[in-house]
Amino acid sequence: MNMRFQGRTAIITGAASGMGLLTSQEMAKEGAVVYMVDINEAPLHESAQAICSHGGRAVPCVCDVREYEQIRAVVGQCMGEQGRVDIVINFAGGCAARVWGLEDGSFTRLPLEVLDWGIQVNFRAPMLFARAVMEHMINQKRGVIINIGSIDGVTGGAVDYSAEKSGISEGMTKALARIGAPYGVRCCSVSPGPVLTRPAMSRMKTALGRAAEPIEIVKLVMYLCSDDAAFITGAHYLIDGGRALLNNA
């Protein structure tokens, strides 16, 4: 077993399900102490316990990523228990209209509280996590922040979601990379196309004719977190099976 993350600590948001959970599992297998962040308490604790039962090290952290004091508490817990925070991966988020279960997700009719939720979770939360960890990473002279964007941030989709994902994957990622570079702190972004985390994804067209398996996205994220990617920062990786190449994407 490759143990690329032995002795490293990772904070992963959206870790109770989907690719956040899969990344937590895979990083724990490779030696990381994983601080799993999610607002859904029961599945979070169950998932962390399952990792521990298989010999990994996982700490469940119930956190509403819209609340900075809760974010600071997670970072403080990690620093207090491990003495360092090496990796932050911002998986938490989703298209607000879908998450809220709205049948009519048209931009002009979205309730303002739904728009606000998307901005807070998809855009503001990654910024706040970066704010909470950057000083620690600068002091320890190393660290990696990975922002998870979306194909919609490249091709356009829902107005709010596309803007949020474009903002973190390009402007925020590059700005953080510039701040961190003199201190060995890297920041990159990964924008997946359709991924088989829910059935509707299989119907989205790509040039390669299929949606991604979740592990394909996770492997790229883990590579960027590893020392193999030590010379990469400020970069945006589109992993979409060529969906952006299609005129009807």
Side-chain angles (χ1 to χ4, degrees), residues 36 72 90 106 162 184 210 237-238:
M36 301 173 65
R72 286 187 62 198
N90 290 300
S106 57
S162 298
R210 67 176 179 87
Y237 285 80
L238 181 61

Side-chain angles (χ1 to χ4, degrees), residues 19 22-23 25-26 29 195-197 212-222 239:
M19 289 187 289
L22 182 57
T23 304
Q25 294 167 336
E26 294 298 312
K29 287 179 186 177
V195 185
L196 293 174
T197 51
E213 296 292 338
I215 191 63
E216 294 180 286
I217 311 303
V218 170
K219 284 181 177 179
L220 175 57
V221 170
M222 290 178 64
I239 177 169

